[in-house]
Amino acid sequence: MSSSPPLSPRGAEEEEDGGARSDGAGSGGGGGGTVFSYGEAGYWDARYVEEGGAPYDWYQRYAALRPFVRRFVPPASRLLMIGCGSALMSEDMAADGYMEIINIDISSVLIEMMRKKYFDLPQLQYMQMDVRDMSKFSDESFDCAIDKGTLDSLMCGVEAPLSAAQMVLEVDRLLKPGGVFMLITYGDPSARIPHLNQPVCSWKIVLYILPRPGFKGNIRRSVFDPVPLTESGRLPEGFVLEDPDSHYIYVCKKGQELTGIDSPTLSHLKLQDSE
C-alpha cells in the first residue's frame, strides 16, 4: 500500500462542488499549492510517476466487496474495470476465478506500469482510455462493469454533470441487456441517482451501504440487506447511517430489450434470486 495515498475525491467535490482544488501546500507554504483536477490525465500521470505505481485501493478492498461481486458478477463474465488505477482488485478477482477483466484508465503512465506488472496474467488486459469516450468498444460487448471511485473523480472536475452523463451513457451502451453496472462511491442517493438515471437508461437499481474499513461503531443492520429507496431515489426518511463516511454500492441492472445479445449475468441473477 502506498505510504502517501492520493487525496480522496470526496473532499475536493464537497469543497469545490465540481471544480478543481488547491491543497495550499506549494513550496514555501504560500497559497500556490498543487491543483487537483481529477478528471484530467495530467494529474494522474504525475501522481503515478510520483507514487511509482505502488498499489492503492480506493474505498474498499476486494475482500470486503467479494460477497457483492460474487452475487452479481459471474466469473464467466466479460468484465470492464473502470478507472482501474493501481488497485489490487483486478488481481484479487483473477485469483478468485474471474477469467476476463478489461482494465481501463485515463493515465497512459499507469497503464504501461500495469501491463509490465501483469504481463504474465492473461486474465487481465490494460488499455488507456477515457471513460467518457469508450468508442473503441462495440455496443453490448460487456456483461458487467465495475467502478470504484472514477465517477467520484469526474464529479471533482470541470463540467462535472456533463462528464458524469457521458460516462453513464457509455457504460449503458457497452453492457448487454441484463448486464450489471456496479458503482462503489461515497455519494449518497441524492447525489448519485440523478446521474445514474440518464433519460435513455433503464436501470433497475439496488443499493447496499458498507461502513468504511476500520469503522468501530455498531452496525444494527446487515450490510448484505438492500437499502430501500424512495420513489424519488432517496434514502427513506429517518434512515440511520451509523457511519457517516460509509460507502454506497449501487448495483444497476440494465433493462432487457426485445432484441440484442443476452448477458450471462441475467441467468446468474435469476439463479441467485431463486436460492
Side-chain angles (χ1 to χ4, degrees), residues 79-148:
L79 173 68
L80 178 65
M81 188 68 71
I82 296 168
C84 60
S86 59
L88 296 173
M89 184 159 173
S90 292
E91 176 185 336
D92 292 341
M93 289 182 67
D96 199 25
Y98 287 86
M99 299 303 297
E100 187 178 9
I101 305 175
I102 314 299
N103 299 272
I104 66 167
D105 199 279
I106 198 171
S107 171
S108 59
V109 170
L110 179 279
I111 290 298
E112 188 59 30
M113 289 178 174
M114 294 299 102
R115 283 175 176 166
K116 291 179 180 178
K117 180 178 181 179
Y118 295 114
F119 75 94
D120 59 346
L121 202 59
Q123 300 96 316
L124 305 183
Q125 301 176 44
Y126 287 88
M127 301 178 66
Q128 189 278 330
M129 198 173 298
D130 188 328
V131 71
R132 294 165 289 192
D133 178 10
M134 297 185 283
S135 52
K136 292 181 182 177
F137 297 133
S138 57
D139 295 357
E140 300 182 6
S141 55
F142 287 91
D143 303 305
C144 301
I146 296 178
D147 169 32
K148 187 157 62 80

Side-chain angles (χ1 to χ4, degrees), residues 16-275:
E16 297 294 336
D17 192 23
R21 176 188 183 275
S22 171
D23 68 353
S27 59
T34 302
V35 174
F36 296 100
S37 186
Y38 290 101
E40 302 302 321
Y43 167 77
W44 294 108
D45 285 343
R47 187 76 210 193
Y48 289 124
V49 168
E50 177 186 342
E51 294 292 317
Y56 184 81
D57 275 84
W58 291 102
Y59 306 157
Q60 303 278 345
R61 289 291 302 272
Y62 178 62
L65 298 171
R66 184 181 186 274
F68 306 97
V69 175
R70 296 293 296 192
R71 176 179 175 88
F72 295 104
V73 184
S77 299
R78 185 170 193 250
L79 173 68
L80 178 65
M81 188 68 71
I82 296 168
C84 60
S86 59
L88 296 173
M89 184 159 173
S90 292
E91 176 185 336
D92 292 341
M93 289 182 67
D96 199 25
Y98 287 86
M99 299 303 297
E100 187 178 9
I101 305 175
I102 314 299
N103 299 272
I104 66 167
D105 199 279
I106 198 171
S107 171
S108 59
V109 170
L110 179 279
I111 290 298
E112 188 59 30
M113 289 178 174
M114 294 299 102
R115 283 175 176 166
K116 291 179 180 178
K117 180 178 181 179
Y118 295 114
F119 75 94
D120 59 346
L121 202 59
Q123 300 96 316
L124 305 183
Q125 301 176 44
Y126 287 88
M127 301 178 66
Q128 189 278 330
M129 198 173 298
D130 188 328
V131 71
R132 294 165 289 192
D133 178 10
M134 297 185 283
S135 52
K136 292 181 182 177
F137 297 133
S138 57
D139 295 357
E140 300 182 6
S141 55
F142 287 91
D143 303 305
C144 301
I146 296 178
D147 169 32
K148 187 157 62 80
T150 302
L151 180 61
D152 293 351
S153 294
L154 291 178
M155 293 304 299
C156 304
V158 296
E159 298 185 323
L162 175 61
S163 290
Q166 290 171 329
M167 170 181 163
V168 171
L169 290 171
E170 277 289 81
V171 172
D172 178 75
R173 178 182 68 81
L174 295 182
L175 285 177
K176 300 174 185 178
V180 166
F181 173 34
M182 184 175 291
L183 171 67
I184 298 102
T185 170
Y186 63 76
D188 70 26
S190 67
R192 292 296 178 262
I193 293 289
H195 297 294
L196 289 169
N197 283 337
Q198 298 297 321
V200 302
C201 297
S202 57
W203 304 117
K204 178 181 179 182
I205 300 175
V206 179
L207 172 65
Y208 299 88
I209 301 178
L210 272 182
R212 68 185 184 276
F215 177 68
K216 302 300 184 183
N218 293 322
I219 302 295
R220 293 187 292 271
R221 57 181 176 80
S222 170
V223 297
F224 304 116
D225 290 339
V227 176
L229 292 169
T230 67
E231 289 187 4
S232 60
R234 304 263 177 151
L235 291 173
E237 185 177 355
F239 181 84
V240 177
L241 198 63
E242 291 91 348
D243 178 11
D245 294 320
S246 291
H247 299 130
Y248 299 81
I249 303 174
Y250 298 88
V251 179
C252 311
K253 187 173 78 171
K254 182 176 178 177
Q256 291 251 100
E257 301 173 2
L258 295 178
T259 60
I261 305 169
D262 192 22
S263 169
T265 307
L266 184 63
S267 57
H268 183 77
L269 292 177
K270 288 179 179 177
L271 178 62
Q272 292 283 352
D273 291 339
S274 65
E275 292 178 352

